[in-house]
Amino acid sequence: MSLAYLILAHKNPLQLNRLVAALESPAAGFFIHLDRKIDPGQFAAALKRFGSAVHRVRREDGQWGTLGIVRAVLNGLA
Protein backbone atom coordinates (compact mmCIF):
# COMPACT_ATOMS: atom_id res chain seq x y z
CA MET A 1 0.00 0.00 0.00
CA SER A 2 1.63 3.22 -1.12
CA LEU A 3 -1.48 5.42 -0.79
CA ALA A 4 -3.38 5.73 2.47
CA TYR A 5 -6.64 7.65 2.72
CA LEU A 6 -8.09 8.69 6.07
CA ILE A 7 -11.82 9.37 5.81
CA LEU A 8 -14.05 10.60 8.64
CA ALA A 9 -17.69 9.67 8.02
CA HIS A 10 -20.86 10.50 9.93
CA LYS A 11 -23.65 10.01 7.37
CA ASN A 12 -24.41 8.92 3.79
CA PRO A 13 -22.98 5.37 3.52
CA LEU A 14 -23.68 5.26 -0.23
CA GLN A 15 -21.68 8.43 -0.76
CA LEU A 16 -18.80 6.88 1.18
CA ASN A 17 -19.08 3.81 -1.06
CA ARG A 18 -18.83 6.00 -4.18
CA LEU A 19 -15.82 7.89 -2.77
CA VAL A 20 -13.90 4.72 -1.97
CA ALA A 21 -14.81 3.24 -5.37
CA ALA A 22 -13.52 6.35 -7.15
CA LEU A 23 -10.21 6.29 -5.22
CA GLU A 24 -9.73 2.52 -5.28
CA SER A 25 -6.51 1.13 -6.75
CA PRO A 26 -4.16 -1.77 -5.97
CA ALA A 27 -1.85 0.67 -4.16
CA ALA A 28 -4.59 2.26 -2.01
CA GLY A 29 -5.68 1.56 1.55
CA PHE A 30 -8.55 3.25 3.36
CA PHE A 31 -8.69 4.09 7.04
CA ILE A 32 -12.31 4.87 7.84
CA HIS A 33 -13.48 6.57 11.02
CA LEU A 34 -17.20 6.18 11.69
CA ASP A 35 -18.59 8.66 14.17
CA ARG A 36 -19.59 7.12 17.49
CA LYS A 37 -23.16 8.47 17.22
CA ILE A 38 -24.07 6.50 14.08
CA ASP A 39 -24.99 2.86 13.48
CA PRO A 40 -21.91 1.22 11.88
CA GLY A 41 -24.01 -1.57 10.38
CA GLN A 42 -25.26 0.51 7.47
CA PHE A 43 -21.68 1.48 6.62
CA ALA A 44 -20.45 -2.12 6.85
CA ALA A 45 -22.74 -3.11 3.99
CA ALA A 46 -21.59 -0.15 1.89
CA LEU A 47 -17.89 -0.99 2.37
CA LYS A 48 -18.07 -4.79 2.25
CA ARG A 49 -17.00 -5.10 -1.40
CA PHE A 50 -13.64 -3.41 -0.74
CA GLY A 51 -12.49 -6.16 1.61
CA SER A 52 -9.04 -5.87 3.16
CA ALA A 53 -8.36 -2.43 1.62
CA VAL A 54 -10.64 -0.90 4.29
CA HIS A 55 -9.43 -0.58 7.88
CA ARG A 56 -11.65 0.66 10.68
CA VAL A 57 -10.36 3.39 12.99
CA ARG A 58 -11.29 3.46 16.69
CA ARG A 59 -14.52 5.44 16.96
CA GLU A 60 -14.80 8.82 18.65
CA ASP A 61 -17.60 11.35 19.09
CA GLY A 62 -16.83 13.72 16.21
CA GLN A 63 -19.06 16.65 17.14
CA TRP A 64 -18.04 19.73 15.18
CA GLY A 65 -15.53 21.98 16.95
CA THR A 66 -14.56 19.47 19.65
CA LEU A 67 -11.45 17.44 20.35
CA GLY A 68 -13.29 14.32 19.18
CA ILE A 69 -12.43 15.16 15.57
CA VAL A 70 -8.76 15.61 16.49
CA ARG A 71 -8.81 12.27 18.35
CA ALA A 72 -10.37 10.59 15.31
CA VAL A 73 -7.59 11.89 13.06
CA LEU A 74 -4.91 10.86 15.54
CA ASN A 75 -6.44 7.38 15.81
CA GLY A 76 -6.33 7.12 12.03
CA LEU A 77 -2.72 8.20 11.87
CA ALA A 78 -1.76 5.66 14.52
Side-chain angles (χ1 to χ4, degrees):
M1 168 178 29
S2 60
L3 291 171
Y5 296 98
L6 173 58
I7 302 170
L8 279 62
H10 65 278
K11 62 179 180 177
N12 299 332
L14 295 178
Q15 184 179 26
L16 179 61
N17 178 289
R18 289 193 310 268
L19 174 64
V20 173
L23 296 172
E24 184 180 30
S25 78
F30 300 90
F31 296 85
I32 310 283
H33 172 269
L34 301 176
D35 192 278
R36 188 181 292 169
K37 294 184 294 289
I38 62 165
D39 174 22
Q42 52 186 286
F43 284 86
L47 296 171
K48 184 178 180 180
R49 69 173 258 217
F50 302 107
S52 64
V54 172
H55 309 279
R56 298 253 178 119
V57 173
R58 187 176 55 143
R59 297 173 69 192
E60 300 284 346
D61 182 359
Q63 185 175 356
W64 178 251
T66 65
L67 285 176
I69 294 175
V70 175
R71 285 189 203 105
V73 172
L74 292 174
N75 292 344
L77 294 174

